[in-house]
Amino acid sequence: MNILNQCENIFIDFDGVVVDSNEFKEKAIEKSIFAIIGKNQKSIDAINYFNINAGLSRHKKLSKFFNSDDVAEIMKIYSQKCINFFSIKTPTIGLDEFLDYIKRNNSLIKIYILSGGEESEIKLFLKKNYLLDFFEGILGSEHSKSDHLKNLKAKENDIFIGDSKNDLKVSLQRGIKFILFENYKSLNSFPSQELINGNVYVRTKNFQTLINNLCYG
């Protein structure tokens, strides 16, 4: 049976899934931290922690290492870099077709962006690429991904499409199906094979291969 037939909600991660942005963000946070803190062991540790923990709120990650004033200045620089980047980027392969397929064939399914990123940046990207109307909502950094799923009462037949170990761990915590994206992954945050084994419903390169596997397979 096609798992879409029993699904009520699809949650889609943003970075590395909707947009190929992992490499950009890893370089952007490095430049942003160095600009405020300088290059030292603390800043290097913060950058490594930030990139390994893709999917968590940027404020939460930075606050682990820096005071509130420094966090605010780093986030200001980083956010502007992200806005500039998203203003010129296009969606990953097959996203438009996947969203259109769901709306035409499974119109009762609600689709959400579930991200550790900022809602305003995500909304900018979706509006620019005429995708905003496909989504029921943007679930961003104001809550953790786990809390968002809990608040929406996600069920076992719902689907989370993500690309990081934290995404996979959240799906396991909330008991929903996980689809793992690989084309745009970061080696810093990609789940280990041990974590993947038995816990991933589908491994796919991009939305085009997912369509072929899930929808037309």
mmCIF file of all heavy atoms in Angstrom, residues 124-151:
data_model
loop_
_atom_site.group_PDB
_atom_site.id
_atom_site.type_symbol
_atom_site.label_atom_id
_atom_site.label_comp_id
_atom_site.label_asym_id
_atom_site.label_seq_id
_atom_site.Cartn_x
_atom_site.Cartn_y
_atom_site.Cartn_z
ATOM 1 N N LEU A 124 10.524 33.874 2.801
ATOM 2 C CA LEU A 124 11.090 34.631 1.687
ATOM 3 C C LEU A 124 11.392 33.717 0.510
ATOM 4 O O LEU A 124 11.032 34.017 -0.637
ATOM 5 C CB LEU A 124 12.360 35.341 2.146
ATOM 6 C CG LEU A 124 13.229 35.975 1.052
ATOM 7 C CD1 LEU A 124 12.552 37.200 0.484
ATOM 8 C CD2 LEU A 124 14.607 36.345 1.606
ATOM 9 N N PHE A 125 12.048 32.606 0.790
ATOM 10 C CA PHE A 125 12.413 31.659 -0.266
ATOM 11 C C PHE A 125 11.176 31.055 -0.925
ATOM 12 O O PHE A 125 11.088 30.971 -2.165
ATOM 13 C CB PHE A 125 13.292 30.550 0.311
ATOM 14 C CG PHE A 125 13.666 29.491 -0.680
ATOM 15 C CD1 PHE A 125 14.751 29.656 -1.522
ATOM 16 C CD2 PHE A 125 12.919 28.329 -0.784
ATOM 17 C CE1 PHE A 125 15.090 28.691 -2.453
ATOM 18 C CE2 PHE A 125 13.253 27.341 -1.706
ATOM 19 C CZ PHE A 125 14.338 27.531 -2.536
ATOM 20 N N LEU A 126 10.221 30.623 -0.125
ATOM 21 C CA LEU A 126 9.023 29.984 -0.674
ATOM 22 C C LEU A 126 8.194 30.961 -1.512
ATOM 23 O O LEU A 126 7.684 30.601 -2.577
ATOM 24 C CB LEU A 126 8.171 29.404 0.450
ATOM 25 C CG LEU A 126 8.807 28.272 1.264
ATOM 26 C CD1 LEU A 126 7.868 27.841 2.391
ATOM 27 C CD2 LEU A 126 9.150 27.078 0.382
ATOM 28 N N LYS A 127 8.071 32.195 -1.051
ATOM 29 C CA LYS A 127 7.306 33.197 -1.806
ATOM 30 C C LYS A 127 7.986 33.510 -3.133
ATOM 31 O O LYS A 127 7.334 33.610 -4.176
ATOM 32 C CB LYS A 127 7.151 34.477 -0.976
ATOM 33 C CG LYS A 127 6.149 34.376 0.144
ATOM 34 C CD LYS A 127 5.955 35.704 0.845
ATOM 35 C CE LYS A 127 5.221 36.702 -0.031
ATOM 36 N NZ LYS A 127 4.886 37.951 0.697
ATOM 37 N N LYS A 128 9.305 33.659 -3.094
ATOM 38 C CA LYS A 128 10.039 33.992 -4.310
ATOM 39 C C LYS A 128 9.887 32.907 -5.366
ATOM 40 O O LYS A 128 9.867 33.177 -6.571
ATOM 41 C CB LYS A 128 11.518 34.204 -3.987
ATOM 42 C CG LYS A 128 12.371 34.625 -5.184
ATOM 43 C CD LYS A 128 13.837 34.679 -4.831
ATOM 44 C CE LYS A 128 14.461 33.304 -4.780
ATOM 45 N NZ LYS A 128 14.586 32.658 -6.120
ATOM 46 N N ASN A 129 9.773 31.667 -4.912
ATOM 47 C CA ASN A 129 9.670 30.533 -5.835
ATOM 48 C C ASN A 129 8.237 30.020 -6.002
ATOM 49 O O ASN A 129 8.030 28.914 -6.503
ATOM 50 C CB ASN A 129 10.589 29.408 -5.356
ATOM 51 C CG ASN A 129 12.056 29.737 -5.548
ATOM 52 O OD1 ASN A 129 12.571 29.712 -6.652
ATOM 53 N ND2 ASN A 129 12.733 30.092 -4.447
ATOM 54 N N TYR A 130 7.265 30.823 -5.574
ATOM 55 C CA TYR A 130 5.830 30.532 -5.762
ATOM 56 C C TYR A 130 5.434 29.171 -5.166
ATOM 57 O O TYR A 130 4.651 28.420 -5.756
ATOM 58 C CB TYR A 130 5.482 30.575 -7.257
ATOM 59 C CG TYR A 130 5.899 31.851 -7.925
ATOM 60 C CD1 TYR A 130 7.046 31.910 -8.715
ATOM 61 C CD2 TYR A 130 5.180 33.035 -7.742
ATOM 62 C CE1 TYR A 130 7.458 33.096 -9.315
ATOM 63 C CE2 TYR A 130 5.574 34.220 -8.338
ATOM 64 C CZ TYR A 130 6.709 34.239 -9.118
ATOM 65 O OH TYR A 130 7.105 35.415 -9.703
ATOM 66 N N LEU A 131 5.937 28.892 -3.981
ATOM 67 C CA LEU A 131 5.667 27.613 -3.324
ATOM 68 C C LEU A 131 4.899 27.761 -2.012
ATOM 69 O O LEU A 131 4.453 26.760 -1.453
ATOM 70 C CB LEU A 131 6.994 26.885 -3.031
ATOM 71 C CG LEU A 131 7.840 26.470 -4.238
ATOM 72 C CD1 LEU A 131 9.180 25.919 -3.765
ATOM 73 C CD2 LEU A 131 7.112 25.436 -5.077
ATOM 74 N N LEU A 132 4.748 28.965 -1.530
ATOM 75 C CA LEU A 132 4.194 29.169 -0.193
ATOM 76 C C LEU A 132 2.800 28.572 -0.044
ATOM 77 O O LEU A 132 2.459 28.017 1.014
ATOM 78 C CB LEU A 132 4.172 30.664 0.141
ATOM 79 C CG LEU A 132 3.798 31.035 1.571
ATOM 80 C CD1 LEU A 132 4.780 30.425 2.571
ATOM 81 C CD2 LEU A 132 3.762 32.552 1.728
ATOM 82 N N ASP A 133 1.978 28.643 -1.092
ATOM 83 C CA ASP A 133 0.593 28.182 -0.999
ATOM 84 C C ASP A 133 0.478 26.667 -0.856
ATOM 85 O O ASP A 133 -0.593 26.165 -0.501
ATOM 86 C CB ASP A 133 -0.203 28.639 -2.224
ATOM 87 C CG ASP A 133 -0.447 30.142 -2.221
ATOM 88 O OD1 ASP A 133 -0.284 30.763 -1.151
ATOM 89 O OD2 ASP A 133 -0.807 30.693 -3.281
ATOM 90 N N PHE A 134 1.543 25.931 -1.132
ATOM 91 C CA PHE A 134 1.496 24.483 -0.974
ATOM 92 C C PHE A 134 1.545 24.068 0.504
ATOM 93 O O PHE A 134 1.181 22.938 0.835
ATOM 94 C CB PHE A 134 2.678 23.823 -1.694
ATOM 95 C CG PHE A 134 2.524 23.726 -3.183
ATOM 96 C CD1 PHE A 134 3.197 24.602 -4.022
ATOM 97 C CD2 PHE A 134 1.710 22.762 -3.750
ATOM 98 C CE1 PHE A 134 3.071 24.502 -5.408
ATOM 99 C CE2 PHE A 134 1.562 22.651 -5.123
ATOM 100 C CZ PHE A 134 2.251 23.528 -5.956
ATOM 101 N N PHE A 135 1.970 24.966 1.367
ATOM 102 C CA PHE A 135 2.264 24.585 2.743
ATOM 103 C C PHE A 135 1.201 25.086 3.712
ATOM 104 O O PHE A 135 0.766 26.233 3.642
ATOM 105 C CB PHE A 135 3.640 25.115 3.147
ATOM 106 C CG PHE A 135 4.765 24.466 2.388
ATOM 107 C CD1 PHE A 135 5.263 25.055 1.233
ATOM 108 C CD2 PHE A 135 5.283 23.252 2.802
ATOM 109 C CE1 PHE A 135 6.289 24.447 0.511
ATOM 110 C CE2 PHE A 135 6.300 22.635 2.090
ATOM 111 C CZ PHE A 135 6.797 23.231 0.942
ATOM 112 N N GLU A 136 0.845 24.197 4.628
ATOM 113 C CA GLU A 136 -0.114 24.530 5.679
ATOM 114 C C GLU A 136 0.505 25.497 6.683
ATOM 115 O O GLU A 136 -0.191 26.333 7.265
ATOM 116 C CB GLU A 136 -0.546 23.255 6.390
ATOM 117 C CG GLU A 136 -1.673 23.417 7.383
ATOM 118 C CD GLU A 136 -3.029 23.640 6.723
ATOM 119 O OE1 GLU A 136 -3.155 23.363 5.509
ATOM 120 O OE2 GLU A 136 -3.946 24.107 7.427
ATOM 121 N N GLY A 137 1.818 25.384 6.880
ATOM 122 C CA GLY A 137 2.494 26.275 7.812
ATOM 123 C C GLY A 137 3.992 26.083 7.777
ATOM 124 O O GLY A 137 4.495 25.102 7.229
ATOM 125 N N ILE A 138 4.696 27.039 8.350
ATOM 126 C CA ILE A 138 6.148 26.972 8.492
ATOM 127 C C ILE A 138 6.458 26.828 9.981
ATOM 128 O O ILE A 138 6.184 27.724 10.771
ATOM 129 C CB ILE A 138 6.830 28.228 7.927
ATOM 130 C CG1 ILE A 138 6.501 28.396 6.444
ATOM 131 C CG2 ILE A 138 8.339 28.159 8.131
ATOM 132 C CD1 ILE A 138 6.924 29.725 5.864
ATOM 133 N N LEU A 139 7.004 25.694 10.346
ATOM 134 C CA LEU A 139 7.315 25.393 11.742
ATOM 135 C C LEU A 139 8.806 25.612 11.924
ATOM 136 O O LEU A 139 9.619 24.769 11.562
ATOM 137 C CB LEU A 139 6.920 23.953 12.065
ATOM 138 C CG LEU A 139 5.492 23.548 11.636
ATOM 139 C CD1 LEU A 139 5.260 22.074 11.895
ATOM 140 C CD2 LEU A 139 4.451 24.402 12.341
ATOM 141 N N GLY A 140 9.154 26.768 12.475
ATOM 142 C CA GLY A 140 10.555 27.172 12.542
ATOM 143 C C GLY A 140 11.132 27.129 13.939
ATOM 144 O O GLY A 140 10.686 26.369 14.808
ATOM 145 N N SER A 141 12.104 27.987 14.178
ATOM 146 C CA SER A 141 12.957 27.912 15.363
ATOM 147 C C SER A 141 12.294 28.361 16.657
ATOM 148 O O SER A 141 12.900 28.262 17.724
ATOM 149 C CB SER A 141 14.222 28.744 15.135
ATOM 150 O OG SER A 141 13.888 30.113 14.961
ATOM 151 N N GLU A 142 11.047 28.841 16.593
ATOM 152 C CA GLU A 142 10.387 29.271 17.831
ATOM 153 C C GLU A 142 10.134 28.094 18.775
ATOM 154 O O GLU A 142 9.987 28.268 19.987
ATOM 155 C CB GLU A 142 9.078 30.011 17.523
ATOM 156 C CG GLU A 142 7.958 29.148 16.954
ATOM 157 C CD GLU A 142 8.023 28.966 15.454
ATOM 158 O OE1 GLU A 142 9.046 29.354 14.853
ATOM 159 O OE2 GLU A 142 7.050 28.441 14.889
ATOM 160 N N HIS A 143 10.077 26.883 18.218
ATOM 161 C CA HIS A 143 9.978 25.658 19.018
ATOM 162 C C HIS A 143 10.927 24.619 18.414
ATOM 163 O O HIS A 143 11.323 24.718 17.255
ATOM 164 C CB HIS A 143 8.554 25.099 19.017
ATOM 165 C CG HIS A 143 7.533 26.012 19.621
ATOM 166 N ND1 HIS A 143 7.542 26.373 20.945
ATOM 167 C CD2 HIS A 143 6.463 26.647 19.064
ATOM 168 C CE1 HIS A 143 6.530 27.182 21.197
ATOM 169 N NE2 HIS A 143 5.856 27.374 20.075
ATOM 170 N N SER A 144 11.261 23.597 19.194
ATOM 171 C CA SER A 144 12.053 22.501 18.648
ATOM 172 C C SER A 144 11.199 21.698 17.674
ATOM 173 O O SER A 144 9.963 21.756 17.708
ATOM 174 C CB SER A 144 12.541 21.585 19.772
ATOM 175 O OG SER A 144 11.457 20.854 20.330
ATOM 176 N N LYS A 145 11.853 20.940 16.817
ATOM 177 C CA LYS A 145 11.114 20.105 15.872
ATOM 178 C C LYS A 145 10.245 19.097 16.603
ATOM 179 O O LYS A 145 9.100 18.829 16.211
ATOM 180 C CB LYS A 145 12.088 19.394 14.922
ATOM 181 C CG LYS A 145 12.793 20.332 13.965
ATOM 182 C CD LYS A 145 13.692 19.577 12.996
ATOM 183 C CE LYS A 145 14.373 20.535 12.028
ATOM 184 N NZ LYS A 145 15.225 19.846 11.048
ATOM 185 N N SER A 146 10.778 18.532 17.656
ATOM 186 C CA SER A 146 10.019 17.562 18.443
ATOM 187 C C SER A 146 8.763 18.191 19.041
ATOM 188 O O SER A 146 7.671 17.601 19.008
ATOM 189 C CB SER A 146 10.903 16.976 19.549
ATOM 190 O OG SER A 146 10.200 16.007 20.295
ATOM 191 N N ASP A 147 8.901 19.393 19.577
ATOM 192 C CA ASP A 147 7.748 20.080 20.167
ATOM 193 C C ASP A 147 6.709 20.434 19.106
ATOM 194 O O ASP A 147 5.499 20.352 19.358
ATOM 195 C CB ASP A 147 8.191 21.343 20.906
ATOM 196 C CG ASP A 147 8.828 21.037 22.256
ATOM 197 O OD1 ASP A 147 8.683 19.893 22.736
ATOM 198 O OD2 ASP A 147 9.494 21.929 22.820
ATOM 199 N N HIS A 148 7.169 20.847 17.921
ATOM 200 C CA HIS A 148 6.224 21.127 16.831
ATOM 201 C C HIS A 148 5.404 19.875 16.506
ATOM 202 O O HIS A 148 4.174 19.948 16.350
ATOM 203 C CB HIS A 148 6.977 21.566 15.577
ATOM 204 C CG HIS A 148 7.347 23.014 15.549
ATOM 205 N ND1 HIS A 148 6.431 24.033 15.693
ATOM 206 C CD2 HIS A 148 8.549 23.628 15.356
ATOM 207 C CE1 HIS A 148 7.037 25.207 15.601
ATOM 208 N NE2 HIS A 148 8.319 24.986 15.404
ATOM 209 N N LEU A 149 6.067 18.725 16.393
ATOM 210 C CA LEU A 149 5.367 17.477 16.076
ATOM 211 C C LEU A 149 4.414 17.080 17.195
ATOM 212 O O LEU A 149 3.302 16.600 16.941
ATOM 213 C CB LEU A 149 6.374 16.361 15.813
ATOM 214 C CG LEU A 149 7.243 16.527 14.563
ATOM 215 C CD1 LEU A 149 8.277 15.399 14.479
ATOM 216 C CD2 LEU A 149 6.398 16.548 13.301
ATOM 217 N N LYS A 150 4.845 17.296 18.417
ATOM 218 C CA LYS A 150 3.983 16.995 19.566
ATOM 219 C C LYS A 150 2.754 17.901 19.562
ATOM 220 O O LYS A 150 1.626 17.428 19.772
ATOM 221 C CB LYS A 150 4.770 17.182 20.860
ATOM 222 C CG LYS A 150 3.974 16.867 22.119
ATOM 223 C CD LYS A 150 4.826 17.078 23.363
ATOM 224 C CE LYS A 150 4.031 16.780 24.633
ATOM 225 N NZ LYS A 150 4.855 16.987 25.848
ATOM 226 N N ASN A 151 2.947 19.174 19.301
ATOM 227 C CA ASN A 151 1.836 20.131 19.309
ATOM 228 C C ASN A 151 0.813 19.821 18.227
ATOM 229 O O ASN A 151 -0.387 20.067 18.410
ATOM 230 C CB ASN A 151 2.364 21.552 19.133
ATOM 231 C CG ASN A 151 3.171 22.032 20.326
ATOM 232 O OD1 ASN A 151 3.049 21.496 21.421
ATOM 233 N ND2 ASN A 151 4.017 23.034 20.122
#
